[in-house]
């Protein structure tokens, strides 16, 4: 039986007015899980909790089948890429490696140098002079240089040009050739996940809206489009309702399909459809959209 | 890993090297511009007390707290490593200040008063240690921006205490010569021991606060 690279049970945490509410997540070793959801849904809070940067109010998190998050033992096997590099802007690219290598028993200077060449990064450049895309590439090189088993990426592709995004996705695919490797990948660009992710976790308003395979998303949600007048009860089942003249469009659970009449069109959903319509689900947004 | 982090922190403190030049300038000016070259050692303690916040400012600027939480190093090692790094940098600056305090009178053709060097170094160590012990728990707990006023508090308290002592006549009752002629071993024990106790208590508080801080 394969162990879980990440196992999260009942993770809850309140931050100001936002509440992450009882998040469950299980990433088996050897798989890629994409985490999607609108801004402020709780993706970053979940990832920070998994990294041990935030302490959960309740629930449990284990990495690699038993390590607590944030411990030296867990971090030795973990690579992290965030939307911005988290190294000093005063350091040179080569200096980043020189400083961080001492912390890892498995730091591979040759692998780091090879990644710099592949990403076209100048070892003599100062971190502060790098573009956003170059910063993400540097973070990726740092994350991979100590041969981690688990990569955690929080929106690494946002702001990257298509070529850089494709480069990054290629590197992640190569990383996954080893079946002991796993990736947790939060992104707004759901097309990144189409060819990479085995599993998908949709978070909305601090709760898990869907957790399962990409194909399973099609079995869970559907798009509904039509012109007929909907009664209030049926209307309430439509997420992210959008009206254009007499037409309407929204997201529904597949189980609610029977509520709609024969003139209504039921379509398959994309990951984007789910994220966009969940984001519009709140009453204010529904009103605004209509 | 504590030692590794301390070396990492020292390297960051000294990068770029020009960051260390202002305190060294203060030390040299203190030795030259005052009639007491040994004052350079006290100036080193005050300058380093003010610079103790620099690593925390660098943490915020480079999001290094995020880096630390992804490295195979515990938060406890980060805290202890930073205390050790700051003490190590202070030790180097204090040695340089002592050299300056010896060289300046020699250049002037004056006699060097070696007897004051140890007591002044011990008093300076106590000043620096107390400043560190007071400031660091706030920086570890709140981060640089929110704890910034703490950067100046120890020096302000020191100046205030000195002013009060001089106004109340307390300072006149202290005989520097008597202190200087005291048993060096006892002076060292009191100075180093007292500093150590303050730093250990402070580090324990910092570990607890930093351990709970959301990053």
């Amino acid at each position: 039986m394969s162990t879980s690279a990440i196992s999260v049970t009942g993770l809850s945490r309140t931050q100001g007015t936002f509440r992450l509410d009882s998040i469950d997540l299980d990433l088996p070793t050897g798989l890629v899980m994409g985490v999607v959801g609108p801004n402020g849904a709780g993706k970053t809070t979940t990832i920070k909790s998994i990294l041990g940067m935030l302490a959960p109010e309740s629930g449990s998190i284990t990495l690699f089948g038993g390590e607590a998050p944030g411990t030296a033992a867990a971090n030795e096997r973990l690579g992290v890429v965030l939307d911005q590099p988290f190294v000093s802007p005063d350091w040179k690219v080569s200096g980043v490696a020189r400083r961080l290598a001492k912390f890892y028993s498995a730091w591979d200077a040759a692998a780091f140098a090879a990644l710099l060449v592949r990403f076209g990064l100048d070892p003599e450049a100062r971190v502060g002079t790098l573009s956003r895309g170059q910063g993400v590439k540097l973070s990726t090189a740092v994350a991979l240089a100590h041969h981690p088993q688990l990569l955690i990426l929080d929106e690494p592709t946002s702001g990257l040009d298509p070529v850089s995004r494709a480069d990054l996705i290629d590197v992640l695919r190569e990383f996954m050739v080893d079946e002991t490797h796993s990736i947790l990948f939060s992104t707004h660009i759901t097309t990144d996940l189409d060819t990479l992710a085995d599993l998908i976790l949709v978070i909305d308003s601090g709760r898990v809206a869907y957790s399962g395979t990409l194909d399973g998303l099609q079995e869970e949600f559907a798009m509904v489009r039509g012109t007929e007048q909907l009664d209030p009860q049926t209307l309430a089942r439509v997420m992210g309702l959008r009206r254009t003249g007499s037409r309407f469009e929204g997201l529904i659970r597949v189980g609610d399909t029977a509520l709609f009449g024969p003139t209504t069109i039921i379509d398959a959903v994309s990951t984007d459809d789910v994220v966009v319509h969940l984001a519009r689900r709140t009453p204010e947004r529904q009103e605004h959209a209509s | 890993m504590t030692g590794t982090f301390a070396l990492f922190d020292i390297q960051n403190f000294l990068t770029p090297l020009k960051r260390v030049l202002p305190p060294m300038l203060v030390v040299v000016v203190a030795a030259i511009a005052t009639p007491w070259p040994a004052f350079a050692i006290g100036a080193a303690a005050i300058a380093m007390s003010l610079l103790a916040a620099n690593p925390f400012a660098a943490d915020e600027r480079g999001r290094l707290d995020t880096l630390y939480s992804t490295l195979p190093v515990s938060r406890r090692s980060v805290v202890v490593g930073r205390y050790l790094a700051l003490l190590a940098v202070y030790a180097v600056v204090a040695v340089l200040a002592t050299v300056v305090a010896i060289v300046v009178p020699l250049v002037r053709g004056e006699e060097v008063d070696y007897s004051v060097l140890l007591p002044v170094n011990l008093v300076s160590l106590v000043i620096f240690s107390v400043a560190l012990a007071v400031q660091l728990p706030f920086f570890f707990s709140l981060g640089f921006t929110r704890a910034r006023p703490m950067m100046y508090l120890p020096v302000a308290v020191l100046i205030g205490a000195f002013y009060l002592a001089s106004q109340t006549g307390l300072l006149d009752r202290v005989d520097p010569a008597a202190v200087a002629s005291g048993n060096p071993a006892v002076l060292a024990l009191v100075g180093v021991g007292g500093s150590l106790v303050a730093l250990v208590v402070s580090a324990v508080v910092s570990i607890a606060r930093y351990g709970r801080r959301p990053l």
Side-chain angles (χ1 to χ4, degrees):
Chain A
M1 195 181 83
S2 73
T3 56
S4 293
I6 304 174
S7 178
V8 176
T9 310
L11 169 65
S12 298
R13 183 182 165 87
T14 304
Q15 275 191 289
T17 56
F18 173 76
R19 179 164 172 77
L20 197 65
D21 193 6
S22 201
I23 298 286
D24 292 330
L25 179 164
D26 184 61
L27 172 60
T29 300
L31 298 184
V32 178
M33 177 181 278
V35 182
V36 295
N39 283 336
K43 302 187 297 294
T44 297
T45 306
T46 303
I47 284 178
K48 281 188 166 185
S49 301
I50 291 169
L51 293 173
M53 296 164 73
L54 298 174
E57 287 165 5
S58 61
S60 70
I61 304 169
T62 55
L63 304 177
F64 310 111
E67 299 285 358
T71 59
N75 287 357
E76 182 79 44
R77 300 161 71 184
L78 187 67
V80 180
V81 181
L82 305 180
D83 58 343
Q84 288 172 14
F86 40 88
V87 290
S88 171
D90 297 328
W91 300 350
K92 286 183 177 178
V93 168
S94 56
V96 173
R98 213 169 38 247
R99 285 172 168 87
L100 303 188
K102 295 165 191 156
F103 289 98
Y104 294 99
S105 58
W107 183 270
D108 185 341
F112 181 79
L115 282 164
L116 292 191
V117 172
R118 178 172 179 171
F119 289 144
L121 291 174
D122 176 7
E124 293 307 304
R126 297 245 174 233
V127 172
T129 66
L130 299 180
S131 69
R132 184 184 172 86
Q134 288 172 320
V136 171
K137 287 173 177 175
L138 173 62
S139 297
T140 308
V142 169
L144 291 170
H146 63 281
H147 300 297
Q149 289 174 275
L150 170 63
L151 273 183
I152 295 183
L153 305 100
D154 189 12
E155 297 183 22
T157 53
S158 57
L160 292 192
D161 63 74
V163 177
S164 299
R165 268 175 53 208
D167 277 352
L168 180 63
I169 298 294
D170 280 348
V171 168
L172 298 181
R173 266 200 210 101
E174 287 165 26
F175 175 77
M176 287 307 296
V177 169
D178 187 327
E179 61 188 19
T180 65
H181 289 175
S182 315
I183 298 178
L184 183 75
F185 187 166
S186 141
T187 182
H188 279 301
I189 305 166
T190 54
T191 49
D192 289 342
L193 301 174
D194 291 342
T195 56
L196 187 67
D198 304 291
L199 302 169
I200 191 159
L201 180 79
V202 183
I203 302 182
D204 178 48
S205 303
R207 290 169 177 264
V208 174
Y210 172 78
S211 177
T213 61
L214 265 173
D215 291 342
L217 201 63
Q218 308 273 343
E219 294 162 17
E220 183 77 21
F221 295 101
M223 286 299 294
V224 60
R225 294 183 179 88
T227 54
E228 68 183 66
Q229 290 297 314
L230 299 176
D231 63 79
Q233 272 184 323
T234 307
L235 207 59
R237 312 305 285 261
V238 182
M239 294 170 268
L241 180 71
R242 188 168 198 171
R243 290 180 193 276
T244 314
S246 61
R247 295 172 180 274
F248 74 89
E249 175 191 281
L251 182 76
I252 58 166
R253 298 264 175 193
V254 168
D256 292 333
T257 306
L259 297 172
F260 297 87
T263 57
T264 307
I265 299 167
I266 307 290
D267 275 340
V269 287
S270 66
T271 315
D272 253 354
D273 287 332
V274 176
V275 174
V276 168
H277 286 83
L278 284 177
R280 289 184 183 142
R281 195 167 58 170
T282 56
E284 312 85 68
R285 282 169 169 167
Q286 293 243 30
E287 194 178 319
H288 181 72
S290 63
Chain B
M1 275 296 162
T2 303
T4 306
F5 186 84
L7 290 173
F8 167 89
D9 222 25
I10 290 169
Q11 194 179 5
N12 291 344
F13 196 95
L14 301 178
T15 309
L17 202 57
K18 63 184 178 189
R19 203 177 280 162
V20 197
L21 292 180
M24 287 316 301
L25 194 66
V26 168
V27 164
V28 173
V29 168
I32 295 171
T34 66
W36 316 282
F39 186 65
I41 302 163
I46 292 169
M48 284 302 298
S49 300
L50 291 170
L51 288 180
N54 270 12
F56 297 93
D59 285 351
E60 279 196 2
R61 189 159 167 256
R63 301 172 69 202
L64 298 186
D65 281 313
T66 301
L67 173 69
Y68 306 152
S69 62
T70 65
L71 288 174
V73 56
S74 65
R75 291 199 188 189
R76 180 181 171 280
S77 291
V78 170
V79 172
V80 178
R82 175 145 301 166
Y83 275 81
L84 293 177
L86 286 169
L87 280 172
V89 174
Y90 172 72
V92 171
V93 174
V95 167
L96 291 174
T98 306
V99 170
V100 169
I102 293 169
V103 168
V104 167
L106 287 177
V107 170
R108 284 177 180 160
E110 296 167 0
E111 197 179 331
V112 179
D113 186 359
Y114 290 100
S115 68
V116 300
L117 294 181
L118 177 67
V120 172
N121 258 302
L122 289 172
V123 169
S124 299
L125 174 66
V126 170
I127 290 171
F128 176 70
S129 299
V130 170
L132 217 60
V134 170
Q135 288 180 77
L136 262 54
F138 288 94
F139 284 116
F140 275 114
S141 178
L142 304 170
F144 174 73
T145 302
R146 288 171 65 198
R148 193 173 193 159
M150 292 310 297
M151 193 174 152
Y152 308 102
L153 188 71
V155 173
V157 168
L158 184 74
I159 292 169
F162 190 80
Y163 176 77
L164 277 177
S166 63
Q167 291 298 305
T168 56
L170 195 66
L171 208 59
D172 299 333
R173 277 183 268 165
V174 177
D175 181 5
V179 175
S181 64
N183 185 330
V186 173
L187 287 176
L189 192 70
V190 170
V192 175
S195 299
L196 203 61
V197 168
L199 289 170
V200 167
V201 170
S202 170
V204 168
V205 175
S206 293
I207 289 168
R209 301 297 300 176
Y210 192 57
R212 284 197 291 269
R213 181 174 149 201
L215 296 176

